[in-house]
Amino acid sequence: AAVRDALQWLLQSRCGASRTWESGEAFLDFVSPKLCGCLLLDVRMPGMSGIELFDRLRALKCRLPVIFLTGHGDVPMAVQALKDGAFDFIEKPYDDNALVDKVLAAIDHDTRRYAKDGSLLLLQQRLAQLTQREQEVMQLILAGKLNKVIADELSIAMRTVEVHRSHIFEKMQVRSAVELSQVLGVLGDARDY
C-alpha cells in the first residue's frame, strides 16, 4: 500500500490523474475496452501476479500499454514480457524521473493509438457506405484506369462512371484518385496494426 501511494503521488506530480488498485483482481473488475492511459504493474503482487494479470488483459484484448516493475525480474522474464507486447520492463530500484518519463511515453503512445483507431473507424464507416457498384468502380479507379476503360469493362455508360466516381469521392471525403489511394492505404496498413 505504501509503495502504491508513493507511486501515485509521483505520477500525479508529473502526469496528472492516476489511480491505484490493491490487486490484479480488483483492476479486472474495473477494466473496460475504452480505458486509455498506461498500466504500471509489479511482477509480484498480492494474489494474481503482474504477469498473470498481463496475460488475462491480453486475452481480453485490452491494449493498454503495460510497464512492469520488478525487483526480482530476470532477463528471460523481461524478454518474454516485451515479446508479448509489454511497453517496458523496469528493474527496482528505479530512477523516479526515468520511470515517469516511461509512463508519459506510454500514455502518449496510447493516446496516438486511440486517435488512430477513431480515424480508422471513421474511414471504415465511409467505405461501408459505398454501394457494390461503387466499390467495383473504385477498384478500377485505384488500378489507374480511365473512365472510358472502366465504362467498357463494366458495360456501363461513361457518364455513369463519372457519377459513381463523384459519389465515391464524396462518400470517402477525398478530392482525387491519389488521395483515395492514400486513404485506403492507411486502412490497409491498419490491418497489420
Side-chain angles (χ1 to χ4, degrees):
V3 173
R4 282 195 316 268
D5 290 344
L7 279 171
Q8 184 175 26
W9 179 85
L10 173 66
L11 294 171
Q12 285 177 337
S13 71
R14 285 198 40 212
C15 303
S18 69
R19 182 168 176 181
T20 63
W21 289 267
E22 70 267 1
S23 67
E25 293 86 354
F27 179 73
L28 283 173
D29 290 338
F30 176 82
V31 73
S32 85
K34 295 187 181 207
L35 196 57
C36 203
C38 168
L39 188 57
L40 191 58
L41 296 176
D42 201 319
V43 169
R44 294 189 183 186
M45 302 187 309
M48 181 183 298
S49 75
I51 298 291
E52 290 170 326
L53 175 57
F54 180 58
D55 291 340
R56 291 279 303 276
L57 292 171
R58 284 190 354 213
L60 294 170
K61 306 288 187 222
C62 177
R63 293 170 54 190
L64 274 176
V66 173
I67 298 174
F68 282 104
L69 290 176
T70 185
H72 310 282
D74 57 12
V75 172
M77 182 189 300
V79 168
Q80 189 60 50
L82 293 171
K83 279 184 180 178
D84 289 342
F87 190 81
D88 212 330
F89 199 96
I90 301 171
E91 285 192 272
K92 298 175 189 173
Y94 50 83
D95 175 83
D96 288 351
N97 285 322
L99 173 65
V100 174
D101 289 344
K102 294 280 186 187
V103 169
L104 288 170
I107 291 170
D108 181 59
H109 170 80
D110 195 46
T111 302
R112 284 186 278 117
R113 178 200 50 88
Y114 199 75
K116 182 178 179 181
D117 286 353
S119 297
L120 292 174
L121 180 60
L122 263 170
L123 291 176
Q124 290 166 340
Q125 289 169 344
R126 289 178 191 158
L127 193 58
Q129 293 176 16
L130 299 179
T131 65
Q132 180 65 35
R133 180 58 93 179
E134 288 168 346
Q135 289 178 20
E136 292 169 0
V137 170
M138 181 180 68
Q139 292 307 316
L140 296 171
I141 290 170
L142 292 170
K145 299 193 176 184
L146 300 173
N147 288 353
K148 183 177 181 349
V149 175
I150 294 171
D152 288 344
E153 285 190 24
L154 296 178
S155 301
I156 57 178
M158 195 163 86
R159 177 68 185 131
T160 304
V161 173
E162 291 168 358
V163 169
H164 285 312
R165 179 185 287 261
S166 172
H167 289 164
I168 292 164
F169 287 6
E170 182 181 324
K171 289 177 180 179
M172 294 302 293
Q173 298 183 9
V174 297
R175 293 177 302 244
S176 69
V178 170
E179 197 175 336
L180 178 64
S181 177
Q182 290 170 341
V183 164
L184 293 175
V186 168
L187 281 173
D189 292 346
R191 291 186 190 118
D192 301 329
Y193 180 71

